[in-house]
Amino acid sequence: MSGANPAVFRRSRRQRRVSQFLNTTMRHLLDFMQASWVPLRLRKSLTLRMGLTMLISTLVILSGVGLYTANSIRDGIFQERLNQLLVESASRAKTAQSRLDQAPVSTVEQVQSLAQEVVTSITTMTSGGNAPSVLILRNPNETSAIVINEIVTGNSRETISPELRQSVEKKTGQYWQSVKLTDAEGRTFPGIAVGTALNLPLAGAHELYFVYSLADEQANLNLVMQVLAGGGLALLLLVGAMTWVVVYSVLVPVRRTVRTAERLAAGDLNARVLSQGQDEMAQLADSFNKMAGSLQSKIDTLGQLSRLQQRFVSDVSHELRTPLTTMRIADDVIFDARAELDPAALRSAELLHDQIDRFDAMLADLLEISRIDSGSARLSFETVDINSLVRKVIADNDSLAQQVGCEVVFNPPPYPCTAEVDTRRVTRIVRNLLVNAIEHSEGNPVTITTDTSETAVALRVSDHGVGMTPEVTSRVFDRFYRADPARTRTTGGTGLGLAISLEDARLSGGTLEAWGKSGYGSSFRLTLPRQNGTEMGPSPLELTDYVEPKLEEYQAQTGGEDA
């Protein structure tokens, strides 16, 4: 026996749909994993990562196992049926040849009738739908003058390929080939065509073909594939559900710990994680609770120290008020009689007067900081015109500007900038910003700009002095911070002015921001809501009026050097 390539069963429509579903699902999963917005979700959800990983892994494993199992079952069923059909067709061909050799015929009609009887006996030997289609075809190489009509049962003449006929023409055995059959309803199913040489009396060499249908085997294979696909889908859903249950049950304590950590971060120091059992999750909860207890103890200790420090600063500031008042009275007497003093004593009286003023300002700043830290600061809001407030502050510090040789330029809009503010605190903010700008202006003009919108009012103080580096800008509101400790101060400040201004802005519901550029100057922008307790919105002023010079302007300023 010899044969062509192994037969391949036709996949049923349902099997193709299952295969297409698996391929589509895999493609969608891969597209989902590669989407630009997925990585963020995957990083945030361990359940999603584990679920997708298990589903994809299970799908790949089931697909591989299913394909291997289906191919093995298909090849096994086909090979077993092929062996049966080859033995059966060989036996029928031998019986037919024996009957033809023993029959006495002398005419063409007798040969035709004998061949038809042989075909009929072969088809009637098998009952039911498993009876093969039988064909007797004349060998193209036969030269006998006796020619009979081809005998064909069923619609199987077109299934015999030229390649199979060429193999049978060799007359050296049995040959088979996988074929595709079509029923009356147009449905296709696999089959096997087996051919062998046949010698008819008088007519000479012919070819005998048996065409067997494998529809029953295909139906059985389809049933097996449906069972495998259904079982695989059920297993996939089961694995997904089990993965979700397991991961969810494992992550419940983790989520509980996360929520507790968020409560701790929000200030609830009494938050604790519920600890159940003795497994790793329980150990995690116990360790977290110990950490939370330790943090609470440390924070309570630091809170007590902070309260003691605030009380100390407040008490010392208040206690210093009494001797300072006495020193102030004595200083006023001495300073008023300074015209009668000799030059050395006069210089001492002036120094004493200046230092007592500085000491008084320092105590006032310390008291204000202690009130802010203790949360006892009180605000009194009233509707005022910021432009009028700025003009008053400029007038109060006119002597300082003249002493430094600095011109203060005020650029108000042509309309009022009214807002509901604490006049005392806003005045202090503007005064601190203006004095700070005059101190660092290097004699250049200081510009104050105001503007308003429907929800906010803003003020910007800009100087064109030494400016600030990014490091200085980030720390300019720190208490007692000085960018250049060796720099001589005209007003003898305490180093708390900008820190107090920032706290005043926050208490008023606004913001205070700083910008600086070395060699150009610096800007401070105060933005406040127009009505107390309402949304402030964006500031109506830019943080700075600085514009980066173009290359031509820069080269003109630097004498044509490269930027």
Side-chain angles (χ1 to χ4, degrees):
M1 298 181 186
S2 61
N5 293 331
V8 178
F9 276 69
R10 177 188 59 84
R11 293 185 177 181
S12 67
R13 293 175 181 173
R14 183 174 298 179
Q15 182 180 356
R16 288 200 304 269
R17 287 197 296 268
V18 172
S19 177
Q20 292 174 358
F21 169 75
L22 293 177
N23 293 334
T24 303
T25 303
M26 192 68 177
R27 185 173 63 255
H28 287 339
L29 284 174
L30 292 176
D31 294 340
F32 177 80
M33 295 289 289
Q34 295 174 357
S36 59
W37 53 273
V38 167
L40 181 59
R41 291 191 176 185
L42 290 178
R43 288 195 298 269
K44 288 186 175 181
S45 176
L46 181 59
T47 305
L48 181 59
R49 287 204 306 272
M50 292 296 297
L52 287 178
T53 301
M54 291 300 298
L55 284 177
I56 294 176
S57 301
T58 304
L59 183 61
V60 172
I61 293 174
L62 288 179
S63 300
V65 174
L67 290 175
Y68 175 78
T69 304
N71 290 333
S72 299
I73 294 175
R74 179 196 63 195
D75 295 342
I77 293 176
F78 176 80
Q79 192 62 44
E80 181 180 359
R81 184 59 175 159
L82 175 62
N83 294 336
Q84 294 175 357
L85 295 179
L86 289 177
V87 173
E88 180 181 328
S89 61
S91 176
R92 290 176 178 177
K94 182 177 179 181
T95 301
Q97 185 64 59
S98 176
R99 184 173 178 177
L100 290 172
D101 292 342
Q102 297 176 4
V105 293
S106 58
T107 63
V108 175
E109 289 77 7
Q110 291 177 341
V111 175
Q112 183 75 49
S113 176
L114 178 62
Q116 186 65 51
E117 290 177 0
V118 170
V119 171
T120 301
S121 64
I122 292 175
T123 56
T124 56
M125 289 176 60
T126 305
S127 60
N130 293 326
S133 298
V134 182
L135 300 87
I136 296 180
L137 306 178
R138 181 181 175 87
N139 192 315
N141 299 324
E142 177 59 44
T143 59
S144 173
I146 303 298
V147 179
I148 66 172
N149 295 327
E150 293 183 348
I151 300 176
V152 179
T153 62
N155 187 19
S156 56
R157 178 66 178 83
E158 65 278 3
T159 61
I160 306 302
S161 66
E163 293 80 6
L164 181 59
R165 293 201 63 180
Q166 291 176 4
S167 299
V168 175
E169 288 172 7
K170 299 177 181 179
K171 302 179 181 180
T172 56
Q174 209 175 29
Y175 293 87
W176 64 270
Q177 189 178 52
S178 295
V179 295
K180 182 172 67 173
L181 306 178
T182 305
D183 59 11
E185 299 179 358
R187 295 176 298 182
T188 59
F189 48 88
I192 295 178
V194 181
T196 186
L198 186 69
N199 188 32
L200 296 181
L202 301 180
H206 281 67
E207 302 164 4
L208 176 63
Y209 294 98
F210 303 94
V211 180
Y212 296 93
S213 172
L214 298 181
D216 293 341
E217 286 75 9
Q218 180 68 59
N220 294 334
L221 182 61
N222 292 341
L223 178 61
V224 172
M225 293 303 298
Q226 292 173 10
V227 172
L228 288 177
L233 182 59
L235 181 59
L236 185 64
L237 296 176
L238 181 62
V239 169
M242 291 180 61
T243 302
W244 185 86
V245 171
V246 171
V247 175
Y248 181 82
S249 61
V250 171
L251 291 182
V252 164
V254 177
R255 292 192 180 99
R256 191 183 299 126
T257 304
V258 170
R259 289 193 295 269
T260 304
E262 291 175 348
R263 290 173 56 192
L264 283 173
D268 185 6
L269 300 180
N270 294 319
R272 295 294 184 273
V273 180
L274 178 63
S275 178
Q276 296 178 338
Q278 299 179 351
D279 54 8
E280 289 81 358
M281 291 296 138
Q283 295 176 9
L284 173 62
D286 293 337
S287 300
F288 185 89
N289 291 336
K290 291 179 181 178
M291 179 192 68
S294 177
L295 287 176
Q296 183 179 16
S297 176
K298 295 295 184 182
I299 292 175
D300 290 341
T301 302
L302 292 176
Q304 293 177 359
L305 293 176
S306 178
R307 286 190 293 272
L308 289 175
Q309 180 184 11
Q310 293 172 9
R311 184 181 302 174
F312 173 78
V313 173
S314 178
D315 292 346
V316 168
S317 300
H318 281 89
E319 290 299 328
L320 288 177
R321 276 295 179 184
T322 301
L324 180 61
T325 303
T326 304
M327 293 170 61
R328 168 67 69 184
I329 295 174
D331 173 64
D332 290 340
V333 173
I334 297 174
F335 192 73
D336 291 341
R338 63 184 181 277
E340 303 175 359
L341 301 177
D342 58 79
L346 176 61
R347 180 55 180 166
S348 298
E350 292 175 349
L351 290 176
L352 176 63
H353 184 75
D354 293 340
Q355 293 304 314
I356 287 179
D357 288 342
R358 183 180 180 186
F359 192 19
D360 190 19
M362 184 180 298
L363 280 179
D365 289 346
L366 288 174
L367 284 172
E368 187 62 29
I369 284 293
S370 66
R371 292 192 195 98
I372 294 174
D373 290 341
S374 63
S376 60
R378 297 292 181 265
L379 286 83
S380 178
F381 290 95
E382 57 181 331
T383 302
V384 297
D385 184 4
I386 300 298
N387 294 334
S388 300
L389 186 147
V390 171
R391 290 189 181 96
K392 185 177 183 303
V393 173
I394 293 175
D396 293 340
N397 293 272
D398 182 64
S399 60
L400 175 61
Q402 293 179 1
Q403 179 183 349
V404 177
C406 168
E407 178 186 3
V408 179
V409 180
F410 182 35
N411 296 323
Y415 43 81
C417 297
T418 57
E420 187 178 358
V421 297
D422 186 322
T423 305
R424 182 178 65 86
R425 294 184 182 277
V426 174
T427 300
R428 181 165 56 195
I429 295 174
V430 177
R431 182 177 64 249
N432 287 336
L433 295 180
L434 178 58
V435 171
N436 183 75
I438 293 174
E439 283 282 342
H440 297 83
S441 66
E442 300 290 330
N444 296 311
V446 172
T447 304
I448 301 179
T449 307
T450 57
D451 202 353
T452 184
S453 64
E454 294 181 358
T455 58
V457 62
L459 175 144
R460 181 180 65 219
V461 180
S462 304
D463 67 77
H464 300 82
V466 295
M468 296 186 295
T469 63
E471 179 184 1
V472 174
T473 304
S474 64
R475 299 189 57 191
V476 70
F477 294 109
D478 292 352
R479 298 177 183 180
F480 303 106
Y481 176 75
R482 295 182 63 182
D484 185 5
R487 181 180 178 85
T488 302
R489 298 185 62 93
T490 305
T491 59
T494 63
L496 294 173
L498 291 179
I500 294 175
S501 298
L502 179 63
E503 297 297 337
D504 285 338
R506 290 175 178 173
L507 289 173
S508 301
T511 59
L512 181 59
E513 303 164 274
W515 174 90
K517 183 178 179 63
S518 296
Y520 175 81
S522 58
S523 294
F524 289 83
R525 182 181 65 185
L526 171 66
T527 307
L528 299 171
R530 293 196 63 180
Q531 291 185 348
N532 180 38
T534 61
E535 190 70 25
M536 183 173 62
S539 179
L541 284 177
E542 296 292 334
L543 179 56
T544 177
D545 57 357
Y546 173 74
V547 179
E548 192 74 29
K550 297 181 179 179
L551 179 60
E552 296 81 2
E553 298 176 356
Y554 179 83
Q555 291 178 344
Q557 295 173 1
T558 58
E561 297 178 359
D562 292 338

